[in-house]
């Protein structure tokens, strides 16, 4: 493989999506991997653009047939990256980023040790809680479940190659660009 695979993770509400969006706007050669999920689409989300939305049965089928490079259950829903999809992107010579949870990221690293794992950290737990509530896209029960995940995720982040604190958006985007271009030069 001559292309590098980058994996970005971070706790819910840490702003990793915004950091990534800023990075992708400045680096249009990079593409974001589209994951499969059993979660219901949020308003404005489109099948095949934001996610491939699958039923639980369809997802289970893919697990049984070993179709996933990695998959995880996150806050009551399943999420996974199809092997075939990643293989195809890499063969087409695309620079690809996966935005997945920490469990999935560590599974990718096991199977593809050359993958570069980057974790976006919150400045503090309180900031993260406020951001998650301020987003108003999830109900209270979902928010609680997601906050429970935070501590576990911070522990898993210790195994990542890089950690970037999202204190200031522009700084975090610059740092992400610096990390990725450094790794690309070593490729
Ligand atoms: P959301 O429901 O907010 O879109 O995503 C919830 C979590 O699932 C996020 O942490 C996101 O990074 C993660 N996620 C999205 N796609 C995948 C995937 O394909 N695999 C894994 N393991 N996690 C994913």
């Amino acid at each position: 493989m001559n292309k590098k695979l980058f994996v970005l993770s971070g706790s819910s509400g840490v702003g990793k999506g915004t950091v990534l969006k800023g990075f992708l706007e400045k680096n249009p050669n990079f593409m974001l991997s589209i994951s499969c999920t059993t979660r219901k689409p949020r308003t404005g989300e489109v099948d095949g653009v934001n996610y491939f939305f699958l039923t639980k049965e369809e997802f289970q089928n893919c697990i049984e047939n070993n179709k996933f490079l990695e998959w995880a259950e996150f806050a009551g829903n399943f999420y996974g990256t199809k092997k075939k999809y990643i293989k195809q992107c890499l063969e087409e010579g695309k620079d690809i980023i996966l935005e997945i949870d920490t469990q999935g990221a560590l599974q990718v690293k096991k199977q593809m040790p050359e993958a570069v794992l980057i974790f976006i950290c919150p400045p503090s737990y309180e900031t993260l809680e406020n951001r998650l509530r301020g987003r108003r896209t999830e109900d209270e029960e979902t928010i609680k479940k997601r906050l429970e995940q935070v501590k576990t995720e911070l522990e898993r982040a210790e195994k990542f190659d890089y950690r970037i604190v999202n204190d200031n958006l522009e700084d975090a985007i610059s740092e992400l660009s610096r990390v990725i271009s450094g790794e690309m030069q070593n490729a």
Side-chain angles (χ1 to χ4, degrees):
M1 188 186 84
N2 54 2
K3 286 284 165 184
K4 277 220 168 174
L5 185 73
F6 292 91
V7 182
L8 193 79
S9 297
S11 312
S12 300
V14 78
K16 65 181 178 301
T18 319
V19 175
L20 190 54
K21 192 164 166 269
F23 171 82
L24 292 171
E25 276 166 9
K26 291 179 183 163
N27 297 275
N29 50 315
F30 269 89
M31 66 162 288
L32 186 60
S33 160
I34 305 172
S35 300
C36 300
T37 185
T38 60
R39 132 162 118 56
K40 296 272 164 290
R42 291 185 189 129
T43 313
E45 285 186 332
V46 177
D47 186 41
V49 175
N50 305 91
Y51 280 104
F52 297 110
F53 294 99
L54 303 184
T55 62
K56 282 199 171 136
E57 292 70 28
E58 287 168 332
F59 200 97
Q60 195 59 41
N61 241 313
C62 291
I63 297 175
E64 281 163 18
N65 292 302
N66 201 22
K67 301 271 188 216
F68 289 122
L69 171 64
E70 61 75 34
W71 66 272
E73 187 176 357
F74 183 92
N77 293 301
F78 291 96
Y79 296 84
T81 310
K82 285 259 187 85
K83 281 181 191 166
K84 196 172 161 191
Y85 175 80
I86 296 299
K87 192 168 168 265
Q88 200 173 326
C89 291
L90 292 172
E91 277 171 6
E92 286 169 10
K94 291 174 177 155
D95 296 312
I96 186 160
I97 302 194
L98 271 64
E99 197 241 284
I100 63 177
D101 90 314
T102 48
Q103 306 166 73
L106 295 175
Q107 287 179 52
V108 172
K109 189 77 175 177
K110 252 190 203 165
Q111 295 196 54
M112 302 174 78
E114 70 279 17
V116 180
L117 268 48
I118 305 165
F119 188 83
I120 307 287
C121 307
S124 71
Y125 183 86
E126 288 71 27
T127 323
L128 187 67
E129 185 170 0
N130 290 339
R131 278 192 202 165
L132 197 51
R133 291 188 190 286
R135 201 160 72 174
R136 295 180 196 281
T137 47
E138 280 89 13
D139 57 27
E140 184 60 26
E141 195 196 339
T142 310
I143 290 174
K144 276 194 181 139
K145 268 194 203 164
R146 288 185 177 222
L147 286 171
E148 276 169 25
Q149 296 265 347
V150 172
K151 285 183 186 136
T152 320
E153 286 180 348
L154 290 174
E155 279 167 24
R156 290 197 195 114
E158 296 295 314
K159 298 191 181 123
F160 277 49
D161 299 299
Y162 297 94
R163 281 170 294 280
I164 298 172
V165 177
N166 185 17
D167 213 346
N168 170 287
L169 181 61
E170 281 310 315
D171 290 350
I173 295 170
S174 303
E175 181 66 3
L176 181 61
S177 303
R178 199 187 58 76
V179 163
I180 290 183
S181 65
E183 284 287 342
M184 299 285 279
Q185 277 160 22
N186 293 335

